[in-house]
């Protein structure tokens, strides 16, 4: 498995309503990060503060000028949904994740264990692979 190259596919694929934030995350944003909380409506995230409609892209996603690389302006305050991605090899395959290599596709169980090790500080391992 390759290191993440910050291609942004995970963010662009899910930021249009495919992500959620817990009530406690939203409460923390309300109190400590009102700039993030502005994009919350009725418990849904990345809603336009002006129209209340779902944004097509996360407002915190930034494309690096002249590069095929993305960064997150709220990386340390991002929702758990973002922190936990990627969860499974199947999800990475479906999302055309550029971290995957041929050997990962040939042995997805081993690749899942590698992924769980890479993500140990972001999320629990996938059930059954502990």
């Amino acid at each position: 498995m390759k290191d993440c190259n910050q291609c942004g596919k995970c963010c662009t694929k899910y930021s249009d309503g495919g992500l959620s934030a817990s009530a406690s995350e939203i409460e923390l944003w309300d109190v400590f990060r009102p700039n993030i909380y502005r994009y919350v409506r009725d418990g849904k995230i990345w809603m336009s503060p002006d129209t209340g409609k779902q944004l097509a892209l996360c407002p915190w996603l930034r494309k690096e000028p002249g590069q095929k690389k993305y960064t997150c302006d709220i990386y340390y305050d991002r929702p758990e949904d973002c922190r936990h991605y990627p969860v499974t090899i199947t999800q990475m395959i479906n999302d055309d994740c550029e971290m995957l290599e041929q050997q990962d596709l040939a042995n997805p169980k081993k690749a899942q264990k590698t992924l769980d090790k890479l993500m140990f500080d972001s999320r629990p391992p996938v059930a059954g692979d502990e």
Side-chain angles (χ1 to χ4, degrees):
M1 190 167 302
K2 299 176 198 171
D3 289 333
C4 177
N5 66 2
Q6 296 178 273
C7 72
K9 288 180 182 176
C10 49
C11 297
T12 57
K13 181 170 177 97
Y14 296 103
S15 66
D16 64 349
L19 297 171
S20 63
S22 68
S24 60
E25 288 172 313
I26 291 171
E27 185 179 329
L28 283 171
W29 293 337
D30 183 24
V31 175
F32 299 106
R33 295 296 305 270
N35 59 325
I36 299 173
Y37 184 75
R38 288 184 56 222
Y39 291 89
V40 176
R41 290 286 180 278
D42 300 322
K44 295 180 183 175
I45 62 173
W46 314 158
M47 308 299 283
S48 168
D50 300 323
T51 67
K53 294 183 180 183
Q54 184 70 57
L55 295 171
L57 284 176
C58 172
W60 312 107
L61 183 65
R62 298 286 174 258
K63 188 167 192 289
E64 292 293 315
Q67 297 182 40
K68 295 179 182 177
K69 191 175 186 179
Y70 289 83
T71 58
C72 175
D73 285 351
I74 62 164
Y75 187 79
Y76 295 106
D77 294 311
R78 70 196 189 281
E80 267 191 18
D81 270 8
C82 299
R83 286 184 209 154
H84 288 187
Y85 185 90
V87 177
T88 65
I89 297 300
T90 301
Q91 180 183 43
M92 294 172 76
I93 292 168
N94 291 339
D95 295 346
D96 291 324
C97 180
E98 295 180 15
M99 290 174 64
L100 292 173
E101 297 182 275
Q102 195 59 40
Q103 71 236 20
D104 301 321
L105 301 173
N107 192 341
K109 283 189 178 194
K110 182 179 179 187
Q112 184 65 54
K113 289 179 190 238
T114 301
L115 177 63
D116 288 342
K117 287 177 187 172
L118 287 171
M119 299 296 293
F120 81 94
D121 62 346
S122 297
R123 62 162 175 76
V126 172
D129 286 341
E130 299 176 56

